[in-house]
Amino acid sequence: MQDFNLYFELGWQHILDWQGYDHILFVMVLCGTYSLSEWKKVLILVTAFTLGHSVTLALSALNVLTVDAGLIEFLIPVTILITATSNIFQKRRQKKESTIKYILALFFGLIHGMGFSNYLKALLGKSNTIVAELFAFNLGLEFGQILIVLATLALSFFLIWVVKVRKADWAFFLSSAIFGISFVMSAERLAGLF
């Protein structure tokens, strides 16, 4: 149980670490166009992302899947950039667009899972029994992710219902700001690949 608590804590601390803010930005831009009343849609989106990164986190941590860390570090801000761009040009949600967003969240989760796995592998070292640690770390990541979602939805609620900012304006502002940050991250990490 002590190891469970340790890896759970490492999981949520990893996703909430401001030095690795790319994961925070992705979760924010993923749910930033939704309001608190649309929590079911956000839950489906976050679940799709969770499924994706759980699969590759497990495969990578178990050394079944290996991808160049530099490439993954470049692709993570690209996923943020694509999601932000999608939000910026989105007029209103239609069922088909929502389905595409869920599929993208699942696919982008696969990429983010490989990024998480590099950190987890460094923690585990050459340990042979990693299933419990992997499970606890993943639960910790999810706990941290839920905190990000709740903070983003609470901020959206405050701005839309208290400050009276139009929902479309808030979504555009948030997505545009995150687009700019992820564009710079992508460019810096692309230069690091060569």
Side-chain angles (χ1 to χ4, degrees):
M1 190 63 175
Q2 185 178 2
D3 280 350
F4 178 90
N5 291 336
L6 171 70
Y7 282 95
F8 179 84
E9 185 176 333
L10 289 169
W12 70 259
Q13 287 177 347
H14 179 64
I15 198 165
L16 295 176
D17 183 1
W18 282 107
Q19 293 179 355
Y21 62 93
D22 48 359
H23 299 298
I24 295 171
L25 290 177
F26 181 77
V27 175
M28 286 181 70
V29 79
L30 187 65
C31 67
T33 61
Y34 294 91
S35 63
L36 202 51
S37 64
E38 297 174 295
W39 65 270
K40 289 180 185 176
K41 293 177 182 178
V42 174
L43 180 64
I44 294 169
L45 264 179
V46 170
T47 301
F49 178 65
T50 297
L51 288 173
H53 77 67
S54 296
V55 167
T56 52
L57 178 61
L59 292 176
S60 293
L62 295 168
N63 292 316
V64 174
L65 177 67
T66 305
V67 180
D68 178 59
L71 178 62
I72 294 304
E73 289 305 312
F74 165 69
L75 289 176
I76 288 173
V78 169
T79 66
I80 302 166
L81 193 64
I82 293 169
T83 306
T85 302
S86 170
N87 289 351
I88 291 167
F89 291 107
Q90 173 183 309
K91 295 292 182 203
R92 49 167 222 208
R93 283 186 204 93
Q94 296 173 351
K95 189 170 185 173
K96 184 179 176 184
E97 288 175 8
S98 293
T99 303
I100 291 169
K101 201 164 189 175
Y102 299 142
I103 292 168
L104 283 176
L106 175 70
F107 178 71
F108 292 163
L110 295 170
I111 294 169
H112 284 251
M114 287 183 267
F116 294 139
S117 72
N118 292 330
Y119 175 74
L120 183 60
K121 280 184 193 178
L123 290 173
L124 292 172
K126 297 188 187 246
S127 176
N128 291 330
T129 58
I130 67 168
V131 175
E133 291 87 348
L134 180 64
F135 180 70
F137 184 78
N138 203 38
L139 283 180
L141 285 174
E142 293 320 303
F143 175 72
Q145 187 172 282
I146 289 168
L147 293 177
I148 297 166
V149 168
L150 290 175
T152 304
L153 291 178
L155 179 60
S156 295
F157 177 82
F158 176 77
L159 291 172
I160 294 166
W161 292 101
V162 177
V163 179
K164 303 296 184 192
V165 173
R166 283 186 47 233
K167 181 180 174 185
D169 292 342
W170 161 243
F172 182 79
F173 171 79
L174 178 68
S175 298
S176 298
I178 292 175
F179 174 90
I181 296 166
S182 60
F183 182 82
V184 171
M185 274 194 298
S186 299
E188 289 173 349
R189 292 179 185 182
L190 179 62
L193 284 176
F194 300 105

